[in-house]
Amino acid sequence: MKNSLIHINKLFLLVVMAAILVVFSGCSGNQEKPATEQAGEQQATENTNIKKDFVLATTTSTQDSGLLDVLVPMFEEQTGFMVKTIAVGTGKALEMGQNGEADVLLVHAPESEQPLVDSGVVTNYQLVMHNDFIVVGPKEDPAGIKGLTSTVEAFKKIAENNALFVSRGDDSGTHKKELGLWKNAEIEPSGKWYQETGQGMGATLKVASEKDGYSLTDRATYLALKHELNLDIILEGEESLLNIYHVMQVNPEKFENINGDVAKAFVDFMVAPETQKVIGEFGVEEFGEPLFFPDANTK
């Protein structure tokens, strides 16, 4: 009997000790994790919440020339951010910025850009590059404008001869420039000789080529598509035909959905020395001349 009681007491003691170990183990599992581990977990959570893509609204010339095919992969590889490019006319790109529908704008209509800068809709407004506008047309030059040095005089002769002129008609930077030239020539273009495509530069040049018409284009798009076109450069080199590009970020303080940090990263990338060097070299190997000239930090 005595031995039995001793045995029971030993079993009871073992059960109690086991219970204590279980409770202690549970308490220790609920202890606060080291600060470094907590910080790592918090950073990982924050990284998953970072929006890594953004919308770039830009003119069709940067797309049609092939420049963005070079620059966008460079930016994505360097930063890990993803670019959603929407290539439209500058007017539409500026409208997207005005409505907070894009994070970054890369456009070429300084007079139309300035109101957005003045109102604070865009910030970090940076000069990026330039090329020039040129007048192209059929080799036969039916309006007889070859040799002229004034675009306004060339436009007057096109209208006087009812020679076909193909316009983008899309409120792009090129279209705005063209309308300014017609205004300076004191002509309101209309009639069968004046046709609007409502499309980008590449498509408009192809229509002009098919119909033996004249058109105003940026040099980069023309050179990139020259092998597909039956168009010659008819007039070039006038100072007023300078074509200037700026990049800017839409103000995140104006629109809550704007990805401000990533937008700033893209603007900084476009004006960085390495990027500017790539811009200056773009087109030289294929066309024998650059399609754009870098301008960052020169004003």
Side-chain angles (χ1 to χ4, degrees), residues 135-140 164-168 195 197 199-217 222 228-232:
V135 178
V136 297
K139 293 178 174 60
E140 296 77 14
L164 178 63
F165 187 95
V166 182
S167 168
R168 287 180 59 162
Q195 298 182 14
T197 66
Q199 300 184 67
M201 196 69 257
T204 299
L205 283 174
K206 290 177 182 178
V207 171
S209 179
E210 291 169 1
K211 295 187 175 185
D212 291 329
Y214 294 93
S215 191
L216 181 75
T217 176
Y222 170 75
E228 303 177 27
L229 304 172
N230 186 31
L231 297 172
D232 284 353

Side-chain angles (χ1 to χ4, degrees), residues 6-20:
I6 293 171
H7 182 68
I8 290 172
N9 287 337
K10 286 183 177 179
L11 289 175
F12 177 75
L13 183 60
L14 289 172
V15 170
V16 171
M17 290 177 67
I20 291 172

Side-chain angles (χ1 to χ4, degrees), residues 115-127:
L116 273 70
V117 177
D118 294 340
S119 65
V121 169
V122 300
T123 61
N124 202 8
Y125 183 62
Q126 301 286 345
L127 178 63

Side-chain angles (χ1 to χ4, degrees), residues 264-285:
K264 182 179 184 305
F266 186 80
V267 173
D268 292 346
F269 164 80
M270 287 298 296
V271 299
E274 179 186 358
T275 308
Q276 289 284 293
K277 184 174 184 292
V278 171
I279 290 172
E281 295 173 349
F282 179 72
V284 173
E285 183 175 345

Side-chain angles (χ1 to χ4, degrees), residues 91-198:
K92 178 60 178 177
L94 292 173
E95 181 183 334
M96 291 178 66
Q98 182 72 58
N99 296 332
E101 297 171 345
D103 301 280
V104 181
L105 309 179
L106 176 58
V107 288
H108 64 135
E111 289 184 4
S112 299
E113 297 157 19
Q114 197 60 47
L116 273 70
V117 177
D118 294 340
S119 65
V121 169
V122 300
T123 61
N124 202 8
Y125 183 62
Q126 301 286 345
L127 178 63
V128 177
M129 59 192 182
H130 76 273
N131 58 11
D132 62 343
F133 292 108
I134 54 178
V135 178
V136 297
K139 293 178 174 60
E140 296 77 14
D141 185 27
I145 63 175
K146 280 183 179 178
L148 295 179
T149 57
S150 166
T151 311
V152 167
E153 292 304 315
F155 273 35
K156 286 180 178 179
K157 291 197 70 172
I158 289 172
E160 289 169 0
N161 287 277
N162 289 324
L164 178 63
F165 187 95
V166 182
S167 168
R168 287 180 59 162
D170 62 350
D171 196 35
S172 61
T174 304
H175 184 222
K176 291 175 186 292
K177 183 66 177 181
E178 177 216 315
L179 292 179
L181 291 167
W182 288 120
K183 183 178 180 180
N184 291 341
E186 300 181 344
I187 294 172
E188 292 187 12
S190 61
K192 291 183 178 180
W193 66 272
Y194 185 77
Q195 298 182 14
E196 296 180 324
T197 66

